Amino acid sequence: MIVGVDVGTSMTKADAYDDAGRKLASAEQASRLEQFADGRVEQDLEDVVSSVVDVVRRVVADAGQPVRALALTGQGDGLWLRDADGAATRPPISWLDDRAADVVRGWQDDGTVAEVYRRTGVGLFPGCHAPLLTALGRDEPESLERAVVAGYCVDALVQRLTGEITVDASDASLPFLDVVSRTYDEGALAACGLGERRGLLADPAPSGTVFALDRRGAELLGLPEGTPVTGGPFDLPACAVGAGLSTPGDGLLIIGTTLACEVFTDRVDPDEVPDPAGMWLCTPEDGLWLRAMPAMVGTAGLDWLLDFLGVGIDALEDLLAGTGPGAGGVSALPFLAASGERAPFVDTRARGQIEGVTLGTGRGDVVRAVCEGIAYTAKHCFERASSSADAQGRLVACGGGSQSGPWAQIFADVLDRPLEVPDDPGLGTRGAAVTAARALGDDLDPAAWAAPSRTVEPSRDAQGCYADGYLRYRAHVDTARDFWARQAQGFAREQM
């Protein structure tokens, strides 16, 4: 069997699959996410490693079969600095972190963001490598001096378990990689003033690379030394692989902590826009890429609201019952991350809003407005992601939010497209396992490995309401962005 491990932002999951793609056992464990009042968001590498050890040991014990390979995937972006032994030189910085927001704003003003986007197709935001390296170089250069590698979550685990310093091309895509040649763009590094940090970036491993557990990794996991290990792709492309997608035009909607919208394409052509955002990602298959637009907040926005209302996710269906498209005139902008937004636009000042509330507004209307606002954001993201790819193929939805029937219906109605919703929302571990099986030389049957799914058809009755609602949402976004900019200018004048 192959054990797939997906290290998310707040949860680590492991699933064991047999050679036919049947799931044999599952386990999960929460990871700690340290969120500070000043916008810093960090993790503990030892806590993350411990969570992996726990879920792998439990899955192996439950499945009771020999392990052919360990397949790793997990969160992308952020900054995971390590020494030669794989120990953290400082706590890993999450992709949610806000400490480099001022760096990004300066780069937007001086053209650096546009230059990097032109070279690599990546829209810089506070939680990615370039601004984080710059902020640390300014605020705590000693952590960079102690580091041997500036990597990501998945390669941090690969190093700890195999001793190898490496990176998957999907992770390395953010933000310095020329994704066509799979080599770093020295001009992008220079534009960010980070040429001297090039030595911290591991060269991407070729597609299909297989590592092996060393003695330390074997002892941690209780597996034989030499057990094959694959490291990547990271969670966004891993979920696409797990969904069985690969044809240009196929799309994936991940309704998880983040809201990720991605479309497969066989060409890389960064669009000429005044607002660089999103990213082009390498996939395990050469000559095939993902045009991705990962908004900062997906289910996290709904979780926040339900917690604010003092109810749990189990109340969602009842809250939505009795409400209709348009949420009784209530509308929402779901930009709740402290670091602002990264797709379909980059704005470090973005903040959430709820409008149209009256004394007659019910809790269900507000909840529906947030659900609709997140769905409108998905539509906005897909419009940007499809600017260089014809997104008329299959559209699969995964992640915890896809398992809510009423919310999945809202997404289908707003996007006006059928959604294929797998019964198993955790496609990351499946995609990692598929990647490992192919690296081991297996001739996979894609149909056998695909998780059973249902199709959610868009409702014709909601089409007109949501078409108008989306136009209002876009106008609302434009008005809000003007307001955030004016507010920042006013604050700057007050500080003078």
Side-chain angles (χ1 to χ4, degrees), residues 134-365:
T134 300
L136 290 186
R138 174 192 65 197
D139 300 333
E140 49 174 276
E142 65 280 359
S143 63
L144 295 178
E145 298 305 321
R146 292 195 302 268
V148 169
V149 58
Y152 308 80
C153 174
V154 176
D155 55 86
L157 294 170
V158 171
Q159 185 182 5
R160 182 62 64 91
L161 297 175
T162 73
E164 299 283 350
I165 295 178
T166 184
V167 67
D168 188 78
S170 61
D171 266 321
S173 301
L174 310 167
F176 301 119
L177 201 71
D178 178 332
V179 296
V180 176
S181 68
R182 299 196 177 210
T183 59
Y184 291 111
D185 186 303
E186 302 296 339
L189 282 158
C192 297
L194 292 169
E196 64 180 11
R197 304 297 184 188
R198 169 64 179 86
L200 292 175
L201 306 179
D203 290 324
S207 295
T209 297
V210 178
F211 307 100
L213 284 182
D214 62 12
R215 180 176 299 177
R216 178 174 63 172
E219 290 176 353
L220 281 171
L221 299 177
L223 296 176
E225 186 174 350
T227 298
V229 177
T230 55
F234 82 95
D235 56 4
L236 297 191
C239 286
V241 172
L245 302 173
S246 63
T247 302
D250 284 349
L252 182 71
L253 169 64
I254 304 176
I255 315 170
T257 302
T258 188
L259 177 76
C261 305
E262 46 193 37
V263 179
F264 273 101
T265 178
D266 57 4
R267 61 188 186 275
V268 175
D269 181 25
D271 43 346
E272 292 293 336
V273 295
D275 199 359
M279 54 199 69
W280 298 78
L281 299 175
C282 290
T283 72
E285 185 176 340
D286 292 337
L288 191 64
W289 298 270
L290 278 167
R291 179 70 168 112
M293 286 282 165
M296 292 293 289
V297 171
T299 58
L302 180 60
D303 290 341
W304 169 84
L305 176 60
L306 294 177
D307 182 65
F308 190 80
L309 295 175
V311 298
I313 190 65
D314 56 338
L316 178 61
E317 189 166 345
D318 287 342
L319 285 167
L320 292 177
T323 66
V330 182
S331 62
L333 297 184
F335 309 131
L336 298 180
S339 55
E341 189 50 86
R342 63 175 174 176
F345 56 86
V346 176
D347 195 326
T348 63
R349 303 181 181 94
R351 293 295 181 264
Q353 296 182 14
I354 296 177
E355 293 192 350
V357 177
T358 71
L359 292 175
T361 297
R363 294 194 304 172
D365 293 321

Side-chain angles (χ1 to χ4, degrees), residues 77-78 95-96 100 104 123-129 131-132 279 296 339 341-342 346:
D77 283 308
W95 57 274
L96 289 163
V104 173
L124 299 177
F125 72 101
C128 70
H129 260 50
L132 287 175
M279 54 199 69
M296 292 293 289
S339 55
E341 189 50 86
R342 63 175 174 176
V346 176

Side-chain angles (χ1 to χ4, degrees), residues 26 35-36 43 90 106 140-141 170 182 320 334 339 378 395 409 418 467 491:
S26 300
Q35 302 193 56
F36 300 93
Q43 292 193 261
R90 67 158 341 274
E140 49 174 276
S170 61
R182 299 196 177 210
L320 292 177
S339 55
L395 180 58
Q409 187 65 59
F491 178 77

